[in-house]
Amino acid sequence: FRDGLRHAVPYVYVWRSFAKRRWLGRQVAEVLTSEFPAVMSPAYLARAMAAGRLRINGRPCEAGAVFRDRDLLEHHALRREPPVAASDPREWIIAETASLVVVNKPATVPVHQSGRFHRNTVVGILAAECPDLAPTDLYPVHRLDRETSGLLLLARNAGAARRMCSAIAAGSVHKRYVAAVEGCFPEGTHVVDAPLAQGVRAGAGYHAVSPDGRPAVTECRRLRYCPRQDLSLVLCRPRTGRSHQIRIHLAWMGHPIGDDALYGGTRAKGATRNRLFDASRISLGEGGRRLAAAEAHAAPAAAAVWT
C-alpha cells in the first residue's frame, strides 16, 4: 500500500489454450496477430518467441510454426496490474458469521479476476492480507461493478455460497443502493421498467435501454436535494439484477450518477469515479435469524446498515 493505493508486484502470468479448430493448419503468428491485435503485434511476437515466452507443448515456439490438433499454446507474460484505491482490507470487514463475511468494498477494486485484474481484486486482496478468513478463497455470492463501493457478501465455503445464491434467486435478499445523481430528481417513488441490452462503446463494455433487451426494473426515490451542488441523493431498489442496471436507469431518467462518465456523468475525476454510488443496505436471513446490524461508511450517505 502506498499513498492510498494498493500496488501489485509485477508477476509472470501464463495464459494457456488448446488449439481451436479454426487455428489448425495456420501459422501461430498469423493466428495471434489476427485474433489478438491489441496485444499481439508482429514486433511483440518476434520478441516473445526470441525470449521463449511463447511455447507449444512446453517447447519454445519457432517462427513459422503451424498449429496442429491438440497443440497446447502457452504465453508467459509479465503482468503489471493497475493500482486500486484501497486501505487495509481488515478495515473493510463489517460483519462475520460462521459461513459469511460482509465487507465494505472500496470503489475501483473489482470483486474477482477479470481483464487486467488478477491480484488487485477483493478476493485476491483478502486472500493475501487476511488468510484467516477462510480455509480457501472466499466465494462472492453477488457482484458490484468495479467503480461501485458498498457492501458485499462473501461465503466462506462452497455450501454456504450455494445457499446464498439460492436465496438471491428466490428473492429472499433485498438490496438497496444510494446514488448521488446530477440535477433535481423528481419527488416520489418512480419505477423504471426499461429492458437492457449489451453493447460496446469506445472499447468499454456497457449496456443500454433497448426494446429487445432483457427485462430490468428499478425502484427509485429521492432522499434529498442539494441546490448548491445540484446533486440529488436517490435511494434505489433493483427488482432485477442486470449489469449496470441502476446506473443506466438513472441516466435514462435524465439524472446520471455524477461521476459515472460511462453513462453521462460529468463529474468524474480519475480514481474517484463512481464514488457517488454505494451499495448501502442488504437484508437477508441466515440460519433462521437476521444478520446483526452493522455500520459502514457510504460515499453519498452517512452510513449503511445491514439488518
Side-chain angles (χ1 to χ4, degrees):
F1 295 93
R2 187 171 69 251
D3 300 327
L5 298 175
R6 186 181 193 274
H7 298 262
V9 176
Y11 59 94
V12 174
Y13 177 79
V14 183
W15 178 87
R16 295 182 175 89
S17 176
F18 282 100
K20 304 182 186 304
R21 186 174 297 277
R22 65 179 180 274
W23 296 359
L24 302 184
R26 297 166 60 190
Q27 288 193 358
V28 173
E30 185 267 326
V31 169
L32 297 182
T33 54
S34 64
E35 299 216 5
F36 308 100
V39 293
M40 293 288 187
S41 67
Y44 174 81
L45 280 176
R47 294 195 302 271
M49 287 183 179
R53 297 199 303 270
L54 273 178
R55 303 176 187 177
I56 299 290
N57 302 324
R59 298 179 179 179
C61 180
E62 299 179 354
V66 173
F67 276 116
R68 305 298 181 191
D69 193 21
R70 299 186 181 181
D71 275 350
L72 175 63
L73 172 68
E74 294 181 345
H75 176 212
H76 296 245
L78 183 65
R79 273 189 175 270
R80 294 183 175 89
E81 294 190 21
V84 294
S87 58
D88 181 344
R90 292 197 175 274
E91 297 175 359
W92 304 354
I93 300 172
I94 301 302
E96 297 182 57
T97 71
S99 58
L100 187 68
V101 178
V102 182
V103 300
N104 188 21
K105 183 188 91 65
T108 78
V109 183
V111 173
H112 45 64
Q113 292 185 4
S114 62
R116 299 172 297 166
F117 298 92
H118 282 251
R119 297 188 179 180
N120 265 348
T121 67
V122 171
V123 173
I125 292 172
L126 289 174
E129 307 290 342
C130 309
D132 54 313
L133 285 178
T136 59
D137 285 346
L138 293 163
Y139 296 78
V141 296
H142 65 108
R143 66 179 297 275
L144 297 175
D145 293 339
R146 183 171 67 87
E147 299 90 348
T148 303
S149 59
L151 300 172
L152 178 71
L153 298 174
L154 300 161
R156 282 181 147 145
N157 55 67
R162 286 192 294 270
R163 292 194 298 274
M164 293 300 302
C165 289
S166 296
I168 291 173
S172 302
V173 176
H174 305 284
K175 293 183 278 188
R176 304 290 188 275
Y177 295 76
V178 177
V181 305
E182 296 185 355
C184 183
F185 196 86
E187 292 184 335
T189 298
H190 302 267
V191 177
V192 183
D193 186 348
L196 302 181
Q198 189 171 12
V200 176
R201 175 192 297 161
Y206 85 110
H207 292 66
V209 172
S210 168
D212 300 322
R214 301 175 68 190
V217 182
T218 307
E219 181 182 304
C220 306
R221 177 169 60 88
R222 191 180 86 189
L223 299 177
R224 65 179 68 95
Y225 172 63
C226 177
R228 182 175 61 85
Q229 298 187 60
D230 193 28
L231 287 174
S232 298
L233 197 64
V234 178
L235 179 66
C236 306
R237 183 175 73 87
R239 296 183 183 176
T240 53
R242 310 302 176 211
S243 294
H244 301 186
Q245 174 177 316
I246 297 173
R247 297 162 63 186
I248 300 168
H249 280 172
L250 289 170
W252 191 67
M253 291 189 69
H255 298 277
I257 295 170
D259 49 3
D260 186 5
L262 184 62
Y263 293 110
T266 61
R267 309 187 187 201
K269 292 184 179 179
T272 64
R273 186 178 62 166
N274 228 28
R275 293 301 297 273
L276 299 184
F277 185 36
D278 190 275
S280 62
R281 183 183 179 101
I282 293 185
S283 299
L284 72 159
E286 169 154 282
R289 61 183 178 81
R290 295 290 181 183
L291 283 174
E295 295 283 330
H297 174 73
V305 182
W306 293 66
T307 61

